[in-house]
Each structure stands twice: as C-alpha cells, then as structure tokens.
Amino acid sequence: MGTMKSLLIVYMFVFVYSCVSSLNNLISLCLCLGLANSRKDVVTVTPWLAPIVWEGTFDTNILDATYKPQNITVANTVFAVGKYVQFLKDYLESAEQYFMLGYRVHYYIFTDQPEAVPTVTLGADRRITTLKIPGSNRWQEITLRRMEMIMNLIETQLVNEADYIFCLDVDTKFYGHWGAESLSRLVAAVHFGFYSASREHFTYERRPESQAYIPYGEGDYYYGGAMIGGLVREVYKVTKTCHLWLNMDKANSIEAVWQEESHLNKYFLYNKPTKLLSPEYLWNGPYQNNEVKMIRYSHVWKDVSKVRPN
Ligand code: GAL
C-alpha cells in the first residue's frame, strides 16, 4: 500500500512538472518569436473574433512579409471642398511619411478647386488623381454626398485599379506608423470618444423614422465616420447601402444625427467589420492617455466657424 502511495506521488509530481515545463516552453517560444501580445489593459478582440489593433498587438515584419509579396494597391480617398483644401498639404505630406509605406498607394482627391491641390513630393509607386466635384453651401451636404461619389469611383475605376481602399477625412494628419496591420476585408475604427463607454451612451440615431435607427440595447461599438477601409468590393457594398439609406432619409425629410457616421454605424452592426482599428488610428487632438499610447492619425484642430460654409 505504502509503495503504491509513493508511486502515485511520484507520478503526480512528474505530471505536474511536465505540465509546468511545457507551459514554460510555450511561453518562452512565443517570447522568442516575439509573438507575445503585450496588451492586457485593453480589449484586443471583438465578441465575433475580429482583432482590435493596438500598439503592441502586431509584428510589422511578419505582416509585411505576408502582404508585400501580394503586390497590392491601396487606394485612399479624401474630400477637400471649400476651405477644407487648406488641410490637404499636411494631410498628404504626413501620409507620405507614415501611411502604407512600401506599398503602392493611389490617392484620389475629390475637390471643387483642383488648382489648389498642393504639389507634394511622392514616394516611389505613389500617385495622386484629382477629381473635380461641385462645391456646397452646407458641410452636412458634403458629408452626405461622399458615399455616392466613392461608390461611383469604385464602380468606374477602382474595381480594376486597387485591392484595398481607405476613405479618410482631410482635416487630419498622420503622426505615426499606419501599415499592413490595418488591412482586412472590412475595417472600421472605434470612435475616440466612445471606446470605453457603454452602449447606452453611444450617439447612434435613435429615431425609428431614419434608416440609421439603432434601438437602445443594441450595438457593439461606436465607430468613427472619418475612416472606412477594406477590400474595394467590400467598401463598395458599404457605400452602395449607405447611399441608398441616405436617399431614403432625404425622401422622408430626415437627416441622421451624425449624417454618414450614423448610417455607417447601422451598417457595421449588421455587417460586422473583420478588423477594428483602435482610437490610435482615429484620434482627436494631441492628448494621449494610458491606453492610447501612440497616436497614428488624428483630426487637427480647426475653427469650424472659419472652415465650414454654414
Ligand atoms: C464628436 C465628433 C463628431 C461625431 C460625434 C459623435 O466628438 O466631433 O464628428 O463623431 O462625436 O457623437
């Protein structure tokens, strides 16, 4: 009996030791490969298992080794209408410093003043196309028309010219690396104002008469309207659907509380993004905090009374 007991203890000891050592080996292997996800302070995956990209959750070398051989083209649309053309220079110059470096990038600038598009020195394999569009007396109108224009651009040109697309706001600047970690089928950015807020505080459209309506108790995240990204064909679906909803709202004389952003939030609720960019990728201002350890892209300060037409 005594021998059995001693044998059992020895077996248990060996079992526990081998478990602990294989766990240690696994951890050391991950550390060796640099695969450790060092972020325990923020949520890095959605409940539908889409990654949320934060500094410290990805390895640029591994991502570039995956995407560079694919020889992809990334389109970038931006709208510079009225006084907003003043933001173009900083936008483009900073994008040349940080946005998708090492990839083929094609900027499409929608503007009512093509002559005001600044001359910016572009890196190899990067180019600009300027597209003339009418001006507007209401900034809301400019926002509302964006979806239709991007939809038309994709339909007529981009389906054959680009693989991925990022549609961004012009009154912004890049401040840090924005690379292949942002690529996925459908990409949304968590709004800087709501990443730690609970859903009842989200500023979704709450009037059932609007196509952007989301009832209280529903919704996953509140996404910023200044960034839509993903495969060209996926972003095409976003723009086509939102364009349709915007027109339906217009016919019913209702404008969603945050225009295009409200419709986008509705779209992403029923068509889950496959990747979420943390507020590092869509910040507002120079302020940093504990979670947002680096700012990659941010709105710049502006006196709205001086740049908006209304
Ligand atoms: C503000 C932002 C607006 C809109 C709003 C949503 O901070 O300036 O553009 O996104 O949040 O509540």
Side-chain angles (χ1 to χ4, degrees), residues 139 191-194 201-204 222-225 258 261 284 299 308:
W139 65 266
H191 192 292
F192 54 83
F194 301 92
H201 295 113
F202 295 168
T203 51
Y204 293 145
Y222 188 82
Y223 303 105
W258 290 108
E261 181 173 278
N284 190 29
H299 275 104
R308 287 183 177 170

Side-chain angles (χ1 to χ4, degrees), residues 248-263:
M248 288 166 81
D249 272 12
K250 198 169 181 183
N252 293 323
S253 310
I254 188 162
E255 186 174 288
V257 57
W258 290 108
Q259 298 83 32
E260 188 191 75
E261 181 173 278
S262 307
H263 289 277

Side-chain angles (χ1 to χ4, degrees), residues 5 22 33 52 67 70 80 82 85 92 94 97 117 123 137 150 206-208 242 246 253 255 259-260 265 271 276 295:
K5 213 171 173 181
S22 53
L33 292 170
I52 309 178
Y67 283 100
Q70 294 179 29
V85 289
L92 290 168
S94 63
Q97 254 183 298
V117 174
N137 296 329
I150 298 170
R206 301 300 188 182
R207 292 166 297 172
C242 290
L246 287 159
S253 310
E255 186 174 288
Q259 298 83 32
E260 188 191 75
N265 271 280
N271 304 272
L276 266 59
I295 298 168

Side-chain angles (χ1 to χ4, degrees), residues 48-53 63 67 70 72-74 100 163-166 178-188 227-235 238 268 272-277:
W48 59 94
L49 300 179
I52 309 178
V53 186
L63 285 159
Y67 283 100
Q70 294 179 29
I72 55 171
T73 299
V74 181
M100 299 305 303
D163 302 285
Y164 291 91
I165 179 169
F166 285 97
W178 177 320
E181 74 285 355
S182 65
L183 299 174
S184 190
R185 192 166 65 76
L186 184 61
V187 189
M227 201 298 296
I228 318 168
L231 286 174
V232 164
R233 62 181 151 81
E234 284 302 320
V235 174
V238 179
F268 287 139
K272 303 284 192 222
T274 53
K275 187 172 274 185
L276 266 59
L277 303 183

Side-chain angles (χ1 to χ4, degrees), residues 30 33 46 63 67 75 80 105 138 160 180 228 238 264 267 305 309:
C30 287
L33 292 170
T46 69
L63 285 159
Y67 283 100
V105 172
R138 286 184 75 232
N160 303 316
I228 318 168
V238 179
L264 262 185
Y267 186 89
S305 67

